[in-house]
Amino acid sequence: MKLNEALSIKTENRIAAMDEAERRRAELHLRLPRVKIIDDLLREIPMRALVGENVEELRAESDAPTSEREQILASCGYDKDYDAPKFDCPDCNDGGYCGIKLCHCVRELMS
């Protein structure tokens, strides 16, 4: 298999994992409205850092909602990372590269 083909497979895998994570997130938001509220709140925090708010304060501010989210998920029988992408390769997250180096998973596909 050629490099382009292997990278194309990894890209398809990555897209599929991201799509599945989004499907699971939508499921959580429908079943657990409080999780959606928390996710919306947590999504705003990085943007606030970009406009100059104190990163340490923002990090501390995200601790309580993150903990609440994990508690809600656990109490409803979900893993805390239920809606996180499940990549085939944890080293490159199915991106094909670790930094600037070609990942071992791509080399394995090519062999």
Side-chain angles (χ1 to χ4, degrees):
M1 179 179 297
K2 294 180 181 179
L3 175 61
N4 286 344
E5 293 171 313
L7 289 173
S8 179
I9 289 170
K10 296 310 295 181
T11 298
E12 289 171 12
N13 291 350
R14 181 174 175 78
I15 290 169
M18 299 294 283
D19 287 348
E20 177 63 14
E22 184 54 39
R23 185 197 65 73
R24 288 174 176 231
R25 188 170 303 112
E27 172 193 330
L28 288 177
H29 290 174
L30 280 174
R31 292 184 181 192
L32 307 169
R34 179 67 184 153
V35 170
K36 181 177 182 345
I37 292 167
I38 292 169
D39 286 349
D40 290 345
L41 174 87
L42 292 172
R43 193 177 305 100
E44 293 174 4
I45 291 177
M47 300 308 271
R48 291 170 48 200
L50 288 174
V51 296
E53 288 191 43
N54 184 291
V55 174
E56 290 304 315
E57 289 176 11
L58 293 171
R59 191 172 287 132
E61 185 180 324
S62 72
D63 288 344
T66 299
S67 179
E68 180 185 357
R69 183 186 201 279
E70 290 174 1
Q71 289 172 358
I72 292 169
L73 293 179
S75 71
C76 294
Y78 292 100
D79 291 331
K80 69 179 182 179
D81 64 348
Y82 176 76
D83 59 337
K86 312 293 190 274
F87 298 113
D88 290 337
C89 180
D91 297 323
C92 71
N93 292 336
D94 293 342
Y97 289 90
C98 296
I100 61 171
K101 286 182 62 177
L102 193 62
C103 186
H104 63 87
C105 67
V106 175
R107 289 192 298 271
E108 289 169 12
L109 281 174
M110 292 171 46
S111 61

